[in-house]
């Protein structure tokens, strides 16, 4: 098989879909998977024959000049021409550029009926025909049942059917042959070649062509191209070779068929994966919902107020959320984590995450195990106590100093001064204590909120997110493989 090209690409496609089916496993119904494998096996078979060839077959009645044309097109004297043997009972093949062994084996062309056109010897002249497999088929009027079978194998692989007629007998052996009509009906890429035009006068050419065209129209083959050639003189052979080169430049029927089969397999599978990969919410977001449901924000607020206050205030406690609340939060997460998934995939996700009761228990354990902080800042409390004491003492000194002022001015003045200074110190201490309490309050509330949310996040992570990642990841790669947007794993070349 030639490397690269459509064959390599389609082989990668088959591998990609096969891997996707393996990944999906039972999440795609067994009969669907089995049918897909069967279709892919057929594609593989096609690929084994090679899809980068262009198969051109010469058909027509005995003596029309198929074998002669085969020789003219290949510039070889390989096919048996009628003068030596009246009919060709065995197919012959000329191959340009490769051996096409599997293909010719499949078509039951005997090894000694194959000839290879070595492009190396021919140079550029034959380059444009590389990949061509030209077949000289057994004469259809000598066809036995074994040959009919050969033709049936061949038909789906033919890229161009060259129907050879001669100017004398075209009317009876072209269009009134059941066999040829059947061939034509099943083949859209066809050209009718009127051979042996050297045997009729040039003046009769148009007449013959018009007659054949009319008969083709009558048979519903109006679009078929007509070429006039002479295998003997070589007239028109070059035009035919140009036509072959054009067919070769396009994609082969086998490649197109394999591609269609691959697309059909993809189409049948695509409904068994989601159109989009679900995007479950982050664990942090779910943890915040759980925290709200358990009153965590109000507990944090009560911590802030209690610690900030100089008086002793009792802290609020975390409430166990109603199990219906945790169940609803779990359900909502599951809904988003399985959005658009076909049932078997959704069930796979549902089965892998923690059950309602377990989740509810884990949430409570996480909440419960978060210790509440102390409601007072000791340093701030001490600062405040010292401040109040200094304030009291300062006040006493001020009063005593004021009382002594008239009798002992100097002593009274100093006492009052000291008292005023102490009051100032007291004020500073009380203010420092208040600032410290507020800062500590903020820190402790924040810390509690943070610890609790982190604990809840790991519950959500352990119970929901992480377990679901397995089936969701498998779905994602199966989906990509089925749709054909997964990166190709094999190395090319
Ligand atoms: N004059 C002339 N004779 C031809 C031409 N092509 C084939 N023949 C002859 O027609 C006879 C049958 O040719 P052959 O190639 O064996 O036809 P086949 O039975 O279709 O394979 C042979 O005697 C050929 O020499 C042609 O273009 N001109
Ligand atoms: Mg022949």
């Amino acid at each position: 098989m030639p490397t690269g090209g459509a064959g390599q690409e389609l082989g990668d496609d088959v591998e990609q879909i096969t891997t996707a089916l393996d990944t999906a496993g039972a999440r795609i119904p067994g009969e669907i998977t089995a049918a897909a494998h069967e279709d892919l096996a057929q594609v593989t078979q096609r690929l084994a024959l090679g899809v980068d060839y262009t198969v051109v077959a010469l058909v027509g009645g005995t003596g029309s000049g198929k074998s002669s044309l085969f020789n003219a097109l290949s510039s070889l004297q390989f096919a048996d021409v009628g003068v030596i043997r009246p009919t060709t009972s065995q197919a012959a093949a000329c191959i340009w550029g490769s051996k096409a062994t599997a293909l010719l084996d499949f078509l039951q062309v005997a090894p000694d009926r194959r000839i290879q056109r070595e492009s190396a010897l021919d140079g550029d002249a034959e380059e444009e025909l590389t990949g061509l497999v030209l077949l000289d088929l057994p004469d259809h009027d000598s066809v036995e049942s074994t040959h009919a079978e050969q033709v049936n194998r061949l038909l789906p692989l033919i890229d161009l059917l060259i129907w050879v007629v001669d100017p004398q007998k075209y009317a009876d052996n072209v269009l009134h042959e059941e066999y040829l009509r059947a061939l034509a009906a099943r083949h859209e890429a066809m050209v009718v070649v009127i051979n042996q035009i050297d045997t009729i006068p040039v003046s009769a050419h148009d007449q013959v062509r018009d007659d054949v065209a009319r008969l083709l129209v009558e048979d519903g083959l109006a679009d078929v191209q007509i070429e006039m050639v002479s295998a003997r003189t070589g007239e028109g052979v070059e035009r035919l070779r140009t036509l072959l080169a054009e067919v070769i430049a396009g994609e082969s029927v086998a490649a197109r068929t394999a591609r269609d089969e691959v697309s059909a397999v993809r189409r049948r599978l695509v409904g068994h994966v989601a159109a989009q990969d679900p995007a479950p919410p982050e664990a942090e977001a779910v943890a915040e919902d759980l925290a709200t449901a358990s009153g965590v924000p109000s507990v944090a607020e009560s911590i802030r107020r209690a610690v900030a206050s100089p008086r002793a205030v009792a802290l609020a406690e975390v409430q166990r959320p109603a199990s219906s609340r945790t169940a609803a939060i779990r359900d909502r997460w599951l809904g988003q984590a399985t959005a658009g998934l076909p049932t078997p995939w959704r069930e796979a996700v549902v089965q892998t995450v923690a059950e309602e009761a377990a989740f509810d228990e884990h949430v409570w354990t996480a909440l419960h195990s978060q210790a509440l902080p102390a409601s007072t800042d000791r340093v701030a409390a001490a600062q405040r106590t010292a401040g109040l004491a200094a304030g009291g003492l300062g006040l006493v000194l001020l009063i005593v100093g004021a009382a002594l002022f008239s009798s002992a001015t100097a002593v009274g003045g100093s006492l009052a001064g000291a008292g005023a200074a102490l009051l100032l110190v007291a004020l500073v201490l009380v203010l420092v204590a208040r600032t410290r309490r507020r800062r500590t309050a903020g820190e402790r509330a924040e810390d509690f909120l943070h610890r609790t949310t982190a604990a809840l996040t790991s519950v959500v992570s352990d119970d929901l997110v992480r377990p679901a990642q397995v089936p969701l990841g498998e779905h994602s790669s199966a989906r990509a493989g089925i749709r054909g947007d997964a990166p190709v794993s094999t190395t090319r070349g």
Side-chain angles (χ1 to χ4, degrees):
M1 200 198 317
T3 51
Q8 173 81 55
E9 187 194 317
L10 288 160
D12 290 344
D13 281 351
V14 169
E15 195 182 304
Q16 195 184 55
I17 301 172
T18 305
T19 308
L21 288 173
D22 291 347
T23 306
R27 287 158 293 194
I28 293 180
E31 67 276 14
I32 304 281
T33 306
H37 277 307
E38 220 167 275
D39 292 349
L40 291 176
Q42 192 175 335
V43 174
T44 303
Q45 230 170 31
R46 230 179 264 293
L47 297 179
L49 297 181
V51 296
D52 297 309
Y53 299 114
T54 300
V55 180
V56 174
L58 295 159
V59 295
T62 308
S64 58
K66 298 180 300 297
S67 300
S68 303
L69 204 52
F70 178 94
N71 290 340
L73 286 168
S74 61
S75 318
L76 296 168
Q77 295 303 317
F78 182 64
D80 299 328
V81 168
V83 277
I84 307 161
R85 275 158 72 172
T87 57
T88 311
S89 59
Q90 276 210 308
C94 181
I95 319 104
W96 275 258
S98 83
K99 287 201 161 67
T101 308
L103 178 65
L104 294 177
D105 286 349
F106 175 77
L107 295 176
Q108 298 171 342
V109 176
D112 64 340
R113 304 295 302 154
R114 305 173 188 181
I115 190 161
Q116 202 180 344
R117 208 69 177 94
E118 294 291 350
S119 46
L121 296 178
D122 296 317
D124 292 345
E126 302 298 320
E127 176 95 14
E128 58 177 14
L129 297 187
T130 301
L132 174 63
V133 176
L134 182 66
L135 296 166
D136 180 20
L137 291 190
D139 296 325
H140 68 82
D141 33 15
S142 75
V143 162
E144 297 156 24
S145 60
T146 52
H147 295 137
E149 188 207 323
Q150 188 178 32
V151 168
N152 285 336
R153 284 169 163 251
L154 176 68
L155 263 182
L157 293 165
I158 293 180
D159 292 289
L160 182 70
L161 197 65
I162 299 183
W163 195 341
V164 186
V165 302
D166 71 60
Q168 275 78 37
K169 292 182 299 193
Y170 60 83
D172 29 281
N173 77 5
V174 175
L175 303 166
H176 302 288
E177 291 282 350
E178 285 294 320
Y179 167 81
L180 283 180
R181 236 198 320 259
L183 270 187
R186 287 170 60 189
H187 226 277
E188 70 274 20
M190 190 170 73
V191 54
V192 168
V193 169
I194 303 169
N195 187 32
Q196 306 187 19
I197 54 162
D198 58 294
T199 63
I200 52 165
V202 175
S203 58
H205 283 192
D206 286 351
Q207 174 70 47
V208 170
R209 178 192 279 268
D210 290 350
D211 280 352
V212 171
R214 186 174 42 78
L215 290 166
L216 287 171
V217 171
E218 277 173 19
D219 262 30
L221 298 168
D223 296 336
V224 174
Q225 189 177 338
I226 299 170
E227 290 292 341
M228 303 189 79
V229 308
S230 166
R232 177 157 299 171
T233 68
E235 192 183 344
V237 170
E238 199 45 48
R239 252 199 338 270
L240 212 49
R241 282 173 60 99
T242 306
L243 185 75
L244 295 185
E246 282 167 16
V247 176
I248 291 164
E251 190 174 45
S252 75
V253 165
R256 217 178 316 140
T257 307
R259 197 181 298 285
D260 288 350
E261 284 167 344
V262 165
S263 304
V265 170
R266 289 195 194 284
R267 266 200 310 280
R268 280 196 296 276
L269 291 175
V270 84
H272 296 277
V273 288
Q276 298 284 325
D277 273 319
E282 300 287 327
E284 285 79 10
V286 184
E288 267 166 39
D289 287 352
L290 287 167
T292 307
S294 337
V296 170
S298 13
V299 175
E301 190 45 41
S302 97
I303 292 168
R304 188 190 307 278
R305 258 186 280 117
V307 178
S309 165
R311 284 169 298 283
V313 178
L315 294 179
E317 298 225 349
V318 171
Q319 301 301 307
R320 178 167 193 161
S323 56
S324 61
R325 280 299 290 280
T326 58
I329 287 170
R330 175 182 171 277
D331 277 354
R332 184 141 41 91
W333 183 88
L334 266 176
Q336 282 169 282
T338 62
L341 289 185
T343 310
W345 290 102
R346 193 173 58 237
E347 279 170 359
V349 175
V350 170
Q351 272 160 23
T352 182
V353 301
E355 284 177 10
E356 249 173 51
F359 180 64
D360 181 66
E361 199 53 46
H362 298 161
V363 166
W364 179 231
T365 308
L367 288 168
H368 201 55
S369 57
Q370 298 312 310
L372 285 175
S375 60
T376 49
D377 179 327
R378 288 193 195 174
V379 175
Q383 284 168 343
R384 184 179 151 85
T385 307
L388 291 179
L393 186 58
L395 206 60
V396 169
L397 289 179
L398 199 63
I399 292 165
V400 173
L404 289 179
F405 195 70
S406 52
S407 50
T409 308
V411 175
S414 327
L415 281 179
L422 268 176
L423 275 176
L424 198 63
V425 167
L427 186 65
V428 169
L429 277 172
V430 168
L431 286 178
V432 165
R434 191 178 72 170
T435 307
R436 186 185 166 95
R437 271 198 320 274
R438 286 182 179 173
R439 199 183 59 229
T440 307
E443 283 169 2
R444 287 186 187 172
E446 213 36 63
D447 173 67
F448 177 76
L449 206 56
H450 186 259
R451 271 189 291 121
T452 312
T453 312
L456 289 171
T457 300
S458 38
V459 170
V460 174
S461 220
D462 292 349
D463 279 9
L464 305 179
V465 177
R466 216 135 15 83
Q469 262 163 11
V470 178
L472 286 178
E474 285 169 353
H475 170 267
S476 180
S477 57
R479 176 185 172 277
I482 285 168
R483 297 171 62 100
D485 35 52
V488 172
S489 57
T490 52
T491 47
R492 285 167 184 271

